[in-house]
């Protein structure tokens, strides 16, 4: 049976695995994300040692995902400066001519959730991870969305909460964007410390829910997904889900008359079923698809 390598490349850690075609996981390796000079050699060696027959990658971005581009598979204008304009896919292949595919880490996550998890049966769904940063994977008509680049849900612009002491947010690129207002560092900046130590009923989470509800409303009115999946470290505070659902319904104000919203919101805005390995499993599925296509 052929072996498929999978990499979920994140801003803080790299998670690698090798699978058999049927999805059986053979080995997993987790490494800190440092500079390419430090991080890449052990990743290349891991896949070399297993003699993989195909490779799937889900990575932080932005990425060049145009197969016709000379920089296909590159990490492009990332704020992680050591990885800016880095040929990730090419260097992982290390000269081997094997089937390979790459997508964003959140697109990998929605692929996994659509095939095996919380979005099974959906042709249109969105996965948003809310952690150190915010990214969104958009699944439309049975495939992930690629266009001019790929969706950058984390940098959509929002209306600041009237009680937010830092309404500009912390994004170096945009004023009052989703990531700058609602990612983990934004919560920390708002309270002047580590948000992990806050109780669930701290007022900052009402502000957080307001921003995530705005995001959900924007996704509903622009993409009309059949399900919205919210993952990432921030969403491990399960009480947030009730707050986000309640504020989403309030902000929609009866405009979207769909039972999924009006009657079943608890089944519409949901947690991922495969967390914390949604992106890794999705990377395996990307590699499997590349192998089947070849």
């Amino acid at each position: 049976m052929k072996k498929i390598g999978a990499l979920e490349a994140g801003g803080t850690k790299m998670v690698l695995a090798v699978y058999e075609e049927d999805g059986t996981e053979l080995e997993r390796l987790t490494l800190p994300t440092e500079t390419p000079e430090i991080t890449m050699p052990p990743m290349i060696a891991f896949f070399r040692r297993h003699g993989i027959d195909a490779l799937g990658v889900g990575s932080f971005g932005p990425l060049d995902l145009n197969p016709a581009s000379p920089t296909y598979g590159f990490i492009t204008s990332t704020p992680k400066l050591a990885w800016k304009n880095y040929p990730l896919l090419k260097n992982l292949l290390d000269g081997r001519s094997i089937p390979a595919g790459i997508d964003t880490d959140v697109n990998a996550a929605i692929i996994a959730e659509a095939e095996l998890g919380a979005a099974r049966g959906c042709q249109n769904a969105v996965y948003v991870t809310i952690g150190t940063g915010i990214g969104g994977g958009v699944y439309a008509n049975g495939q992930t969305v690629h266009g001019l680049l790929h969706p950058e849900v984390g940098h959509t612009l929002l209306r600041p909460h009237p009680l937010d002491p830092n309404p500009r947010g912390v994004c170096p690129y945009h004023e009052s964007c989703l990531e700058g207002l609602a990612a983990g560092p934004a919560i920390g900046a708002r309270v002047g410390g580590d948000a992990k130590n806050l109780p669930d009923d701290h007022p900052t989470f009402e502000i957080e829910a307001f921003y995530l509800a705005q995001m959900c409303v924007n996704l509903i009115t622009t993409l009309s997904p059949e399900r919205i999946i919210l993952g990432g470290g921030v969403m491990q505070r399960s009480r947030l889900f009730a707050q986000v659902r309640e504020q989403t319904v309030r902000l929609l104000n009866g405009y979207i008359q769909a039972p999924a919203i009006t009657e079943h919101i608890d089944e519409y805005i949901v947690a991922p079923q495969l967390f914390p390995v949604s992106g890794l499993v999705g990377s395996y599925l990307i590699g499997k698809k590349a192998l089947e296509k070849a």
Side-chain angles (χ1 to χ4, degrees):
M1 187 174 288
K2 293 190 175 182
K3 296 179 181 179
I4 299 170
L7 167 63
E8 182 183 11
T12 58
K13 64 181 179 180
M14 301 283 189
V15 184
L16 304 82
V18 173
Y19 294 84
E20 292 184 340
E21 284 181 81
D22 65 1
T24 301
E25 184 179 319
L26 300 176
E27 186 178 349
R28 188 184 303 183
L29 174 67
T30 301
L31 299 168
T33 303
E34 300 183 72
T35 65
E37 293 74 21
I38 296 172
T39 306
M40 288 297 294
M43 295 202 296
I44 294 168
F46 177 79
F47 290 132
R48 277 279 183 192
R49 176 166 58 84
H50 279 280
I52 59 171
D53 301 289
L55 176 65
V57 178
S59 176
F60 67 87
L63 302 172
D64 184 344
L65 298 179
N66 178 5
S69 169
T71 56
Y72 171 66
F74 278 49
I75 299 171
T76 60
S77 55
T78 177
K80 300 169 182 65
L81 296 180
W83 294 86
K84 189 172 183 178
N85 299 319
Y86 187 77
L88 178 64
L89 185 61
K90 177 184 176 183
N91 286 358
L92 283 170
L93 289 171
D94 194 32
R96 288 169 293 179
S97 181
I98 60 173
I102 186 169
D103 213 324
T104 65
D105 48 357
V106 280
N107 272 350
I110 189 58
I111 288 169
E113 293 292 337
E115 187 159 330
L116 303 170
R120 273 178 298 184
C122 297
Q123 286 294 298
N124 303 278
V126 178
Y127 182 108
V128 183
T129 183
I130 303 109
T132 305
I134 296 181
V138 179
Y139 188 77
N141 300 321
Q143 58 187 10
T144 55
V145 171
H146 299 164
L148 180 67
L149 184 64
H150 46 74
E152 282 286 355
V153 173
H155 293 275
T156 52
L157 304 181
L158 302 182
R159 181 173 77 251
H161 191 285
L163 299 180
D164 191 343
N166 188 22
R168 189 211 175 278
V170 299
C171 176
Y173 288 93
H174 310 116
E175 182 175 340
S176 303
C177 76
L178 174 61
E179 182 170 291
L181 291 170
I187 303 172
R190 188 179 305 131
V191 299
D194 190 342
K196 293 177 182 177
N197 300 323
L198 299 176
D200 285 350
D201 60 355
H202 192 281
T204 194
F205 293 115
E206 280 292 331
I207 297 174
E208 178 73 8
F210 174 75
Y211 291 138
L212 297 181
Q214 280 192 70
M215 172 196 74
C216 289
V217 167
N218 291 339
L219 293 172
I220 291 164
T221 55
T222 56
L223 298 174
S224 200
E226 296 166 273
R227 193 151 300 142
I228 296 174
I229 302 169
L230 304 182
V234 171
M235 295 309 301
Q236 295 312 291
R237 291 179 179 268
S238 56
R239 181 174 174 178
L240 258 181
F241 275 97
Q243 295 172 300
V244 171
R245 291 166 183 146
E246 179 183 350
Q247 295 212 42
T248 297
V249 172
R250 180 181 64 81
L251 290 172
L252 283 169
N253 198 30
Y255 184 72
I256 303 295
Q257 287 295 307
I261 304 293
T262 58
E263 301 172 24
H264 305 293
I265 192 71
D266 289 359
E267 301 166 22
Y268 182 74
I269 299 173
V270 298
Q273 288 184 2
L274 302 176
F275 183 83
V277 295
S278 303
L280 183 64
V281 173
S283 298
Y284 147 70
L285 292 171
I286 290 168
K288 182 180 179 183
K289 183 177 179 180
L291 183 64
E292 291 169 349
K293 187 176 180 181

